Amino acid sequence: MRTSLWSLKAGDRCTIVGYDDALADKYRIRLMEFGFHAGESVACLQSPAFGAPKVYQVSNTVYSLDDEVATHVRVQRDDNNE
């Protein structure tokens, strides 16, 4: 199922498919520098309440992204997510 990175809950895993056109190039480039590129596996480690930034792991690094950025990252959820 394709969705956005922001829709993941703690414990969910996915593969990045790409970005939507609404994300500015400067953010897209910076995310790719961080390792958020197509084909990369991502795990959602924390999904706090009240819209607080979520915590994601890419490779061996952990990042916090807010909804203004994470909603534009298109992902394919892994089959083993509930």
Side-chain angles (χ1 to χ4, degrees):
M1 171 182 173
R2 288 193 179 180
T3 187
S4 74
L5 191 60
W6 185 253
S7 69
L8 299 180
K9 297 177 183 156
D12 286 351
R13 300 187 69 75
C14 66
T15 302
I16 296 177
V17 176
Y19 302 94
D20 69 21
D21 294 335
L23 184 64
D25 283 341
K26 64 182 180 180
Y27 293 113
R28 182 185 333 259
I29 291 167
R30 190 66 173 153
L31 285 169
M32 288 190 288
E33 290 173 347
F34 287 154
F36 290 87
H37 51 79
E40 188 67 42
S41 293
V42 177
C44 181
L45 301 180
Q46 294 180 359
S47 181
F50 306 113
K54 294 184 180 184
V55 179
Y56 303 97
Q57 181 177 5
V58 178
S59 297
N60 293 323
T61 309
V62 175
Y63 297 100
S64 176
L65 298 177
D66 64 13
D67 64 332
E68 292 181 32
V69 174
T71 55
H72 300 292
V73 181
R74 297 291 160 231
V75 299
Q76 175 75 40
R77 287 179 184 249
D78 289 354
D79 292 335
N80 59 352
N81 291 332
E82 295 181 11

